[in-house]
Amino acid sequence: MEYLSHFIDVFINTYDLFFEGLKITLYLSAASLLIAFIIGLFFAILKISNIKILEWIADAYIWIVRGTPLIVQIFVLYYGLAEIVLIDKFWAGAIGLAFHSGAYIAEIIRGAIQSIDKGQMEAGRSLGMTKGLTMKRIILPQAFRRAVPSLGNQFIIGIKDSSLVSFIGLQEIFGVASSGGSNNFDYFTYYFIAAIYYLVIVLVLTLVVNYIEKRMAKSD
């Protein structure tokens, strides 16, 4: 009971700090996932282009991302970009997270596109549409519907991965917990509070994804 009272006191007293960290986490996740989706769509198109050099470029990108830890990618991009352009921690972190998530999103979209019956491309071409227009109006809308569950899962992973940006000094949820734990010599309590915030975010996002899936199932 004594620890529970202590935990509640810390939770209440640190609300403002964690709320600021929560906002940074949400902004960071939204920015990185938007960029990652664009990157993923681009490399998914390269993967199915049937042009060898473009396929090799996409394969090389995905191989690099899968073969190196996310924290290494963030550090390389952060310190590497800092040598070329002046960039703040937020955008360095967002780009690092997007670079990582983009590879997995590319594979999700590629799989969804290739799951669509090839006859639909032929049908679009027979109606006088170009290959690009058929892809835009017929194939991609169906592919995105099929990719929603996997994309939702990847977005949840992206939110949790955002905690690694604290290692370049960004004070998101995990960064706030690390600083608070260090200053008060109470790591367990602060990290436990951080875990609660992450669980709430993931729960809300899971409910949103499930709602979208059900709406799409009804429209089908």
Side-chain angles (χ1 to χ4, degrees), residues 117-138:
D117 193 310
K118 293 182 179 179
Q120 298 203 36
M121 175 62 76
E122 296 171 0
R125 298 300 299 275
S126 68
L127 292 173
M129 296 184 186
T130 64
K131 185 176 180 179
L133 189 59
T134 303
M135 179 67 72
K136 177 182 177 181
R137 292 187 176 179
I138 298 177

Side-chain angles (χ1 to χ4, degrees), residues 49-87:
S49 65
N50 293 322
I51 301 173
K52 287 298 181 183
I53 184 64
L54 298 183
E55 291 180 16
W56 290 341
I57 292 172
D59 286 338
Y61 161 63
I62 293 170
W63 176 72
I64 290 171
V65 169
R66 284 180 168 177
T68 55
L70 173 54
I71 188 64
V72 173
Q73 296 166 22
I74 292 173
F75 273 44
V76 168
L77 286 170
Y78 176 58
Y79 292 107
L81 287 174
E83 295 292 327
I84 303 171
V85 295
L86 183 63
I87 184 168

Side-chain angles (χ1 to χ4, degrees), residues 15-186:
Y15 171 78
D16 290 341
L17 290 174
F18 274 103
F19 185 71
E20 289 301 314
L22 172 64
K23 290 194 293 185
I24 294 175
T25 294
L26 295 177
Y27 293 150
L28 179 67
S29 299
S32 64
L33 291 172
L34 177 60
I35 299 170
F37 184 81
I38 295 170
I39 293 173
L41 179 60
F42 174 74
F43 281 100
I45 298 299
L46 294 191
K47 285 273 287 184
I48 63 172
S49 65
N50 293 322
I51 301 173
K52 287 298 181 183
I53 184 64
L54 298 183
E55 291 180 16
W56 290 341
I57 292 172
D59 286 338
Y61 161 63
I62 293 170
W63 176 72
I64 290 171
V65 169
R66 284 180 168 177
T68 55
L70 173 54
I71 188 64
V72 173
Q73 296 166 22
I74 292 173
F75 273 44
V76 168
L77 286 170
Y78 176 58
Y79 292 107
L81 287 174
E83 295 292 327
I84 303 171
V85 295
L86 183 63
I87 184 168
D88 65 22
K89 296 173 183 177
F90 178 90
W91 286 110
I95 293 171
L97 292 170
F99 177 82
H100 180 80
S101 295
Y104 295 95
I105 291 175
E107 288 290 72
I108 291 170
I109 295 175
R110 176 198 59 76
I113 291 174
Q114 292 182 332
S115 72
I116 304 299
D117 193 310
K118 293 182 179 179
Q120 298 203 36
M121 175 62 76
E122 296 171 0
R125 298 300 299 275
S126 68
L127 292 173
M129 296 184 186
T130 64
K131 185 176 180 179
L133 189 59
T134 303
M135 179 67 72
K136 177 182 177 181
R137 292 187 176 179
I138 298 177
I139 306 299
L140 285 179
Q142 297 180 73
F144 286 143
R145 293 167 74 91
R146 295 188 181 185
V148 165
S150 298
L151 286 174
N153 185 57
Q154 185 58 45
F155 291 167
I156 290 172
I157 292 172
I159 288 174
K160 292 187 290 184
D161 285 345
S162 68
S163 61
L164 293 175
V165 178
S166 64
F167 289 100
I168 60 173
L170 199 62
Q171 289 294 295
E172 40 66 72
I173 292 174
F174 187 79
V176 170
S178 296
S179 298
S182 175
N183 293 335
N184 296 279
F185 302 101
D186 189 8

